[in-house]
């Protein structure tokens, strides 16, 4: 899901950077200072996740964990993922710096989508199984959307990417399941140990969400 | 369920414990390697260049297109990796060769093979200043029984070719070892990254708290 430098075309890089900048600004504005430790932890988890390889068939895929990040942080996933991607590019050579905006957008936008789709049901889950289901859905959907956006970014850069881009997107299917399982388990664990992580919304969220808590 | 304030202390406790756990987990992973493609090349006997495109975590880049550029962006040619991730390219000029691998799925890498790794017998690239400077020393006679090759521009003697082959056989695996060593993700990199994040969080904390104190004072 990390695209390297020198592959995408200029317009795609600029467009992605602009959209990512917008997302990051929104995320920072919505951030209550009490939530900053959480953002730091999830950013670190995301940062380290790409080092953890899950064997998938002949090759191995690395974890992304953008679903978990989005589920807990919401819009703050944008700055969290931006920082983590920046550090991955600088320290591990994984990804790239010119392509930072596009990569951030590809991974953080699905994260935010999962926040809006699954957060409420994860919070209101009446049983561990329910919480697991919501977490798994968030984890899986985030990967699927991320792979889709990565493929779109490649396709927008040139017609010659068509075959490999589609192949790449398909290769992420096993990871959808792996991350689904992992995110589901983590959500169940958090629900038991630190339920307030899922309870309290970020400052500035919809009033309706708070009222029906 | 009443809306509870998170409790700053509990939040920070959780954060600290999680970071410690994370650091501990990362330390255990000896095989930590970044997921990216790498490419490198070396010059073989004659004017052939061989190379390999691979993933540091294991796995080769199969059937990947590798484009070759001269300094200044002029395209010298193209080649493809085989099932073992290896490729060959015939050098026609003695200039820096830039190998660019593009796997099409977002992975890509470049490697520049320096001009002085190529045999001096090759002509310089027209219109560039990277021509072989001056004369390469004459091929030295090796072994008392062999006569040296006549002139520098002549194709290398059999002995020279054998020597180059033998040296290459020793050096190429060594380079591979060095490269693997360089690619390993160090624990200190992980720790540094996490430390950077914690520091950044502290700065954000300061500004957010200052803003909050500012609004409180105004009330």
């Amino acid at each position: 899901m990390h695209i390297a430098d020198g592959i995408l075309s200029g317009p795609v890089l600029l467009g992605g950077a602009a959209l990512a900048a917008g997302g990051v600004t929104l995320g920072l504005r919505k951030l209550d200072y009490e939530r900053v430790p959480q953002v730091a932890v999830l950013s670190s988890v995301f940062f380290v996740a790409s080092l953890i390889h899950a064997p998938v068939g002949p090759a191995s895929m690395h974890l992304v964990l953008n679903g978990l990040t989005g589920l807990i942080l919401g819009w703050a996933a944008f700055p969290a993922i931006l920082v983590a991607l920046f550090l991955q590019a600088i320290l591990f050579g994984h990804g790239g710096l010119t392509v930072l905006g596009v990569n951030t957008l590809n991974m953080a936008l699905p994260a935010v989508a999962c926040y809006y789709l699954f957060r409420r049901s994860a919070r209101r889950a009446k049983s561990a199984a329910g919480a697991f289901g919501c977490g798994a859905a968030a984890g899986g959907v985030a990967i699927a959307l991320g792979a889709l956006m990565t493929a779109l970014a490649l396709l927008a850069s040139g017609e010659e990417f068509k075959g490999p881009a589609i192949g790449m997107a398909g290769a992420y299917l096993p990871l959808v399941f792996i991350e689904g399982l992992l995110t589901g388990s983590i959500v169940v664990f958090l629900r038991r140990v630190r339920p307030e992580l899922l309870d309290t919304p970020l400052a500035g969220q919809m009033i309706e969400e708070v009222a029906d808590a | 369920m009443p809306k509870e304030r998170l409790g700053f202390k509990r939040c920070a406790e959780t954060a600290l414990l999680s970071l410690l756990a994370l650091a501990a987990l990362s330390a255990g992973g000896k095989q930590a390697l970044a997921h990216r493609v790498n490419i490198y090349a070396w010059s073989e006997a004659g004017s052939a260049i061989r190379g390999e495109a691979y993933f540091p975590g294991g796995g080769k880049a199969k059937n990947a297109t590798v484009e070759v550029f001269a300094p200044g962006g002029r395209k010298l040619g193209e080649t493809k990796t085989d099932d073992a991730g290896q490729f060959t390219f015939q050098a026609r000029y003695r200039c820096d060769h830039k190998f660019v691998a593009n796997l099409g799925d977002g992975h890509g890498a470049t490697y520049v093979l320096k001009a002085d790794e190529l045999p001096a017998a090759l002509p310089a690239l027209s219109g560039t200043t990277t021509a072989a400077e001056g004369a390469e020393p004459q091929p030295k006679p090796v072994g008392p029984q062999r006569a040296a090759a006549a002139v520098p521009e002549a194709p290398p003697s059999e002995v020279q070719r054998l020597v180059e082959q033998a040296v290459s056989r020793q050096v190429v695996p060594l380079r591979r070892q060095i490269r693997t060593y360089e690619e390993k993700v160090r624990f200190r990199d992980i720790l540094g990254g996490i430390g950077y994040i914690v520091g950044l969080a502290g700065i954000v904390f300061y500004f957010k708290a200052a803003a909050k104190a500012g609004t409180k004072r105004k009330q």
Side-chain angles (χ1 to χ4, degrees), chain B residues 10-147:
Chain B
R10 224 152 114 82
C11 199
E13 266 171 25
T14 318
L16 219 58
L17 283 167
S18 323
L19 286 174
L20 281 170
L22 211 60
L25 276 170
S26 326
K30 285 202 188 88
Q31 288 306 312
L33 289 157
H35 181 85
R36 63 167 196 251
V37 73
N38 272 354
I39 182 175
Y40 67 103
W42 65 95
S43 110
E44 290 237 302
S47 56
I49 300 178
R50 267 169 71 79
E52 191 178 306
Y54 66 101
F55 295 93
K60 311 287 182 196
K62 301 178 191 157
N63 300 315
T65 310
V66 178
E67 295 176 299
V68 191
F69 296 95
R74 175 172 143 192
K75 184 161 175 179
L76 292 171
E78 201 174 280
T79 177
K80 247 178 138 70
T81 60
D82 59 18
D83 278 343
Q86 308 229 330
F87 63 89
T88 46
F89 184 77
Q90 276 301 330
R92 288 196 316 276
Y93 305 103
R94 195 172 193 249
C95 63
D96 288 355
H97 283 65
K98 180 163 152 186
F99 293 88
V100 178
N102 188 340
L103 273 59
D105 60 354
H107 287 116
T110 58
Y111 179 81
V112 176
L113 184 82
K114 291 286 175 201
D116 48 18
E117 289 189 39
L118 294 166
L122 289 174
L125 187 64
S126 53
T128 68
T129 50
T130 53
E133 61 249 74
E136 178 88 355
Q138 303 235 16
K140 294 182 177 39
V142 178
Q145 317 305 328
R146 314 251 177 193

Side-chain angles (χ1 to χ4, degrees), chain A residues 2-4 6-7 28-41 43-45 47-48 50-51 53 60-62 83-84 86-87 91-94 123 150 154 161 164-165 168 193-197 199-201 210 213, chain B residues 1-8 10-19 22 26 31-36 57 101-109 185-186 189-194 196-198 200-202 204-205 208-209 212:
Chain A
H2 293 72
I3 304 179
I7 292 189
L28 286 174
R29 213 180 290 160
K30 282 182 187 268
L31 187 57
D32 189 21
Y33 84 111
E34 281 184 351
R35 302 280 286 197
V36 172
Q38 282 175 30
V39 179
V41 169
S43 187
S44 308
V45 168
F47 168 66
V48 173
S50 78
L51 298 175
H53 296 261
S60 72
M61 309 217 78
H62 68 83
V83 170
F86 171 74
L87 290 169
L91 295 171
F92 303 154
H94 189 181
R123 181 157 45 99
T150 309
L154 289 170
F161 288 119
M168 173 224 65
V193 171
R194 282 277 192 274
E196 63 265 19
L197 276 180
D199 283 344
T200 316
V210 173
Chain B
M1 206 184 312
K3 177 196 176 195
E4 353 177 319
R5 294 299 281 180
L6 262 185
F8 174 75
R10 224 152 114 82
C11 199
E13 266 171 25
T14 318
L16 219 58
L17 283 167
S18 323
L19 286 174
L22 211 60
S26 326
Q31 288 306 312
L33 289 157
H35 181 85
R36 63 167 196 251
N102 188 340
L103 273 59
D105 60 354
H107 287 116
V185 170
R186 299 267 171 329
D189 292 330
I190 299 172
L191 214 53
I194 294 178
Y196 189 96
I197 292 173
V198 171
L200 215 55
V204 173
F205 246 138
K208 289 268 175 186
K212 204 173 183 71

Side-chain angles (χ1 to χ4, degrees), chain A residues 54-74:
Chain A
V56 162
S60 72
M61 309 217 78
H62 68 83
L63 296 182
V64 179
L65 289 184
N66 58 337
L68 183 69
T69 307
L71 197 61
I72 297 183
L73 297 181

